[in-house]
Amino acid sequence: MNTGFRRIAIFLAAAAVSTSAIFTLWSDASSITLVFYRMLFASLIILPFLLIGCRKELRSLKLRDLILCIISGFVLAIHFAAYFESLRFTSITSSLVLVDTSVFFIAAIMLIFFREKISVKGWIAIMITFGGVVVIALNDFHSGNNSLYGDILALIGSVMFAGYAVIGRRQRSRMSTTVYTFIVYLSAALTALLVCISVGDEIICDTADLLCALGMAVFCTILGHSVFNWGLKYEKTSFIAVSSLLEPVFGSVLGFLVFSEIPATLIIIGSLIVLFGVYLFSANTEPELSE
């Protein structure tokens, strides 16, 4: 697959991930319960492919790699829980955008610890995108304490996603997408289950909630995060992170179509700035390696 088609696949993955907001608002289950079932279903979907094609890789898996995958799953579970809970206090668009400020944490970590450099034009694109984030966040600043609380939760999700992406970049150079995602998703499911038990959340869900979790597993996880993880082998981590900034744009469209949630003027302006920043970054970033 050439660079153009691969990047289109990554952009479409951002669209798939953005549907998580819709499934979350459709469900009455708690945030952490949704995380548990979403990651459990995703693990079960991957399991047959793992058993058929990856037995040799599993047998040769090193302990350090296994531990890092488990940590990645733990961080991913916290990311999802914070993000889902934020949707109950702030708008779909604001939550998506603030979660996606992870691009700055990722860029800093990759530069300091992994020497993954970003061009001057790339940094300009990131700052333009950040400008869009600020514009959208301003929409919620004066809309009440609950919205601000939701924004804080979204930022916590952002930090957690940065950790997940950085670990993924390292591990994807050493592991297949199937093995890596299975261990990470299973770890995330077990983390969510332990949290559910410790806080006394109801694990038994009705059919509608289970269907929402299944939809998230298929669209958001398999067609979304798994594609991001696949792309980490060929693209810089910062490119994947910047591409994920398309989520609020897709999310605002879905929010309008499904819930008639009309984006405020500041959100529309901010989303357009984000779109331009993503385009600029993509045009000025070379892939990490050829497929």
Coordinates of all heavy atoms in Angstrom, one line a residue, residues 14-15 18-19 21-22 83 87 91-97 136 245-264 266-272 274-275:
A14 N -9.9 7.6 11.9 CA -10.3 8.7 12.8 C -11.9 8.9 12.7 O -12.5 9.2 13.8 CB -9.7 10.0 12.4
A15 N -12.5 8.8 11.5 CA -13.9 8.8 11.4 C -14.6 7.7 12.2 O -15.6 7.9 12.9 CB -14.3 8.8 9.9
S18 N -14.5 8.4 15.9 CA -15.4 9.4 16.4 C -16.8 9.0 16.7 O -17.6 9.6 17.4 CB -15.4 10.5 15.3 OG -16.2 10.1 14.2
T19 N -17.2 7.8 16.2 CA -18.5 7.2 16.5 C -18.7 6.8 17.9 O -19.8 6.6 18.4 CB -18.9 6.0 15.6 OG1 -17.9 5.0 15.8 CG2 -18.8 6.4 14.1
A21 N -18.5 8.6 20.5 CA -19.4 9.5 21.3 C -20.8 9.2 21.1 O -21.6 9.3 22.1 CB -19.1 10.9 20.8
I22 N -21.2 8.8 19.9 CA -22.6 8.4 19.7 C -23.0 7.2 20.5 O -24.1 7.2 21.1 CB -22.8 8.2 18.1 CG1 -22.4 9.4 17.3 CG2 -24.3 7.8 17.9 CD1 -23.1 10.6 17.6
Y83 N -12.5 9.8 28.9 CA -13.1 10.3 27.7 C -14.7 10.1 27.7 O -15.4 11.1 27.5 CB -12.5 9.7 26.4 CG -13.4 10.0 25.2 CD1 -13.7 11.2 24.8 CD2 -13.8 8.9 24.4 CE1 -14.5 11.5 23.7 CE2 -14.5 9.1 23.3 CZ -14.9 10.4 22.9 OH -15.6 10.6 21.8
L87 N -18.0 13.0 28.2 CA -19.1 13.3 27.3 C -20.4 13.5 28.1 O -21.4 14.1 27.5 CB -19.3 12.0 26.4 CG -18.2 11.8 25.3 CD1 -18.4 10.5 24.7 CD2 -18.2 12.9 24.3
S91 N -19.8 19.0 25.5 CA -20.3 18.6 24.2 C -19.4 17.6 23.5 O -18.2 17.4 23.9 CB -20.4 19.9 23.3 OG -19.0 20.3 23.0
I92 N -20.0 16.9 22.6 CA -19.2 15.8 21.8 C -18.0 16.5 21.2 O -16.9 15.9 21.3 CB -20.1 15.2 20.7 CG1 -21.2 14.4 21.3 CG2 -19.2 14.4 19.8 CD1 -22.2 13.8 20.3
T93 N -18.1 17.6 20.5 CA -17.0 18.2 19.8 C -15.9 18.6 20.8 O -14.7 18.4 20.5 CB -17.5 19.4 19.0 OG1 -18.6 19.0 18.2 CG2 -16.4 19.9 18.1
S94 N -16.3 19.3 21.8 CA -15.3 19.8 22.8 C -14.5 18.7 23.4 O -13.3 18.7 23.6 CB -15.9 20.7 23.9 OG -16.5 21.8 23.3
S95 N -15.2 17.6 23.8 CA -14.6 16.5 24.4 C -13.6 15.8 23.4 O -12.4 15.5 23.8 CB -15.6 15.4 24.8 OG -15.0 14.3 25.4
L96 N -14.0 15.6 22.2 CA -13.1 15.0 21.2 C -11.9 15.9 21.0 O -10.7 15.4 20.9 CB -13.9 14.9 19.9 CG -14.9 13.7 19.8 CD1 -15.7 13.8 18.5 CD2 -14.1 12.4 19.8
V97 N -12.0 17.2 20.8 CA -10.9 18.0 20.5 C -9.9 18.1 21.7 O -8.7 17.9 21.5 CB -11.4 19.5 20.2 CG1 -10.2 20.4 20.2 CG2 -12.1 19.5 18.9
I136 N -12.2 26.1 20.2 CA -13.3 25.3 20.6 C -13.4 25.2 22.1 O -14.6 25.2 22.6 CB -13.1 23.8 20.0 CG1 -13.2 23.9 18.5 CG2 -14.1 22.9 20.6 CD1 -12.8 22.6 17.8
L245 N -6.8 14.2 15.2 CA -7.5 15.4 15.4 C -8.7 15.7 14.5 O -9.4 16.6 14.6 CB -6.5 16.6 15.3 CG -5.4 16.6 16.4 CD1 -4.4 17.8 16.1 CD2 -6.0 16.8 17.7
L246 N -8.8 14.8 13.5 CA -10.0 14.9 12.6 C -11.2 14.4 13.4 O -12.4 14.6 12.9 CB -9.8 14.0 11.4 CG -8.7 14.5 10.4 CD1 -8.4 13.5 9.3 CD2 -9.3 15.8 9.7
E247 N -11.1 13.7 14.5 CA -12.2 13.1 15.2 C -13.3 14.1 15.6 O -14.5 13.9 15.4 CB -11.7 12.4 16.4 CG -10.9 11.1 16.2 CD -10.4 10.5 17.5 OE1 -11.1 10.6 18.5 OE2 -9.3 10.0 17.4
P248 N -12.9 15.3 16.1 CA -13.9 16.3 16.5 C -14.7 16.8 15.3 O -15.9 17.1 15.4 CB -13.2 17.4 17.1 CG -11.8 17.3 16.7 CD -11.6 15.8 16.5
V249 N -14.1 16.8 14.1 CA -14.8 17.3 12.9 C -15.9 16.2 12.5 O -17.1 16.6 12.3 CB -13.8 17.5 11.7 CG1 -14.6 17.9 10.5 CG2 -12.8 18.5 12.1
F250 N -15.5 15.0 12.5 CA -16.4 13.9 12.2 C -17.5 13.8 13.3 O -18.6 13.6 13.1 CB -15.7 12.6 12.1 CG -14.8 12.5 10.9 CD1 -13.5 12.2 11.0 CD2 -15.3 12.6 9.6 CE1 -12.6 12.1 9.9 CE2 -14.5 12.5 8.5 CZ -13.1 12.3 8.7
G251 N -17.0 14.0 14.6 CA -17.9 13.9 15.7 C -19.0 15.0 15.7 O -20.1 14.7 16.1
S252 N -18.6 16.2 15.3 CA -19.6 17.3 15.3 C -20.6 17.0 14.2 O -21.8 17.3 14.4 CB -18.9 18.6 15.0 OG -18.2 18.6 13.8
V253 N -20.2 16.5 13.1 CA -21.2 16.1 12.0 C -22.1 15.0 12.5 O -23.3 15.1 12.3 CB -20.4 15.6 10.8 CG1 -21.4 15.1 9.7 CG2 -19.6 16.8 10.2
L254 N -21.6 14.0 13.2 CA -22.4 12.9 13.7 C -23.4 13.4 14.8 O -24.5 13.0 14.9 CB -21.6 11.8 14.3 CG -20.8 10.9 13.2 CD1 -19.9 10.0 13.9 CD2 -21.8 10.1 12.4
G255 N -22.8 14.4 15.7 CA -23.7 14.9 16.7 C -24.9 15.7 16.2 O -26.0 15.6 16.7
F256 N -24.6 16.4 15.0 CA -25.7 17.1 14.4 C -26.7 16.1 13.7 O -27.9 16.3 13.9 CB -25.2 18.0 13.3 CG -26.2 18.7 12.4 CD1 -27.0 19.7 13.0 CD2 -26.4 18.3 11.1 CE1 -28.0 20.2 12.2 CE2 -27.4 18.8 10.3 CZ -28.2 19.8 10.9
L257 N -26.2 15.1 13.0 CA -27.1 14.2 12.3 C -27.9 13.3 13.3 O -29.1 13.0 13.0 CB -26.2 13.3 11.4 CG -25.6 14.0 10.2 CD1 -24.7 13.0 9.4 CD2 -26.6 14.6 9.3
V258 N -27.3 12.9 14.4 CA -27.9 11.9 15.3 C -28.7 12.6 16.4 O -29.8 12.2 16.7 CB -26.9 10.9 15.8 CG1 -27.6 9.9 16.8 CG2 -26.2 10.2 14.7
F259 N -28.1 13.6 17.0 CA -28.7 14.2 18.2 C -29.2 15.7 17.9 O -29.7 16.3 18.8 CB -27.8 14.2 19.3 CG -27.3 12.9 19.8 CD1 -26.0 12.4 19.6 CD2 -28.2 12.0 20.4 CE1 -25.6 11.2 20.0 CE2 -27.9 10.7 20.8 CZ -26.6 10.3 20.6
S260 N -29.1 16.1 16.7 CA -29.4 17.5 16.3 C -28.6 18.5 17.2 O -29.1 19.6 17.6 CB -30.9 17.8 16.5 OG -31.6 16.9 15.6
E261 N -27.4 18.1 17.6 CA -26.6 19.0 18.4 C -25.8 19.9 17.5 O -24.8 19.6 16.9 CB -25.6 18.1 19.2 CG -24.7 18.9 20.1 CD -23.7 18.1 20.9 OE1 -24.0 17.4 21.8 OE2 -22.5 18.1 20.5
I262 N -26.4 21.2 17.4 CA -25.8 22.1 16.4 C -24.6 22.8 17.0 O -24.6 23.4 18.1 CB -26.9 23.2 16.1 CG1 -28.1 22.6 15.5 CG2 -26.3 24.3 15.1 CD1 -29.3 23.6 15.3
P263 N -23.4 22.6 16.3 CA -22.2 23.2 16.9 C -22.3 24.7 16.9 O -22.8 25.4 16.0 CB -21.1 22.7 15.9 CG -21.7 21.6 15.1 CD -23.2 21.9 15.1
A264 N -21.8 25.3 18.0 CA -21.7 26.7 18.1 C -20.7 27.3 17.1 O -19.9 26.6 16.6 CB -21.3 27.1 19.6
L266 N -18.1 29.2 17.5 CA -16.7 29.0 17.8 C -16.2 27.5 17.5 O -15.1 27.3 17.1 CB -16.5 29.3 19.3 CG -16.4 30.7 19.8 CD1 -16.3 30.8 21.3 CD2 -15.3 31.5 19.1
I267 N -17.1 26.6 17.7 CA -16.8 25.2 17.4 C -16.6 25.0 16.0 O -15.6 24.3 15.5 CB -17.9 24.2 18.0 CG1 -17.8 24.2 19.5 CG2 -17.6 22.8 17.5 CD1 -18.9 23.4 20.2
I268 N -17.4 25.6 15.1 CA -17.3 25.5 13.7 C -16.0 26.1 13.2 O -15.2 25.5 12.4 CB -18.5 26.1 13.0 CG1 -19.8 25.4 13.3 CG2 -18.3 26.2 11.5 CD1 -21.0 26.0 12.8
I269 N -15.7 27.3 13.7 CA -14.4 28.0 13.3 C -13.2 27.2 13.8 O -12.3 27.0 13.0 CB -14.4 29.4 14.0 CG1 -15.5 30.3 13.3 CG2 -13.0 30.0 13.7 CD1 -15.6 31.6 14.0
G270 N -13.3 26.7 15.0 CA -12.2 25.9 15.5 C -12.0 24.6 14.8 O -10.8 24.2 14.5
S271 N -13.1 24.0 14.4 CA -13.0 22.7 13.6 C -12.3 23.0 12.2 O -11.5 22.2 11.7 CB -14.4 22.1 13.4 OG -14.9 21.7 14.6
L272 N -12.7 24.1 11.6 CA -12.0 24.4 10.3 C -10.5 24.7 10.5 O -9.7 24.3 9.6 CB -12.7 25.7 9.7 CG -14.2 25.5 9.3 CD1 -14.8 26.9 8.8 CD2 -14.2 24.5 8.1
V274 N -8.7 23.3 12.8 CA -8.1 21.9 13.0 C -7.9 21.2 11.7 O -6.9 20.6 11.4 CB -9.0 21.1 13.9 CG1 -8.6 19.6 13.9 CG2 -8.9 21.7 15.3
L275 N -8.9 21.3 10.8 CA -8.8 20.6 9.5 C -7.7 21.2 8.7 O -6.9 20.4 8.1 CB -10.1 20.9 8.7 CG -11.3 19.9 8.9 CD1 -12.5 20.4 8.2 CD2 -10.9 18.5 8.5

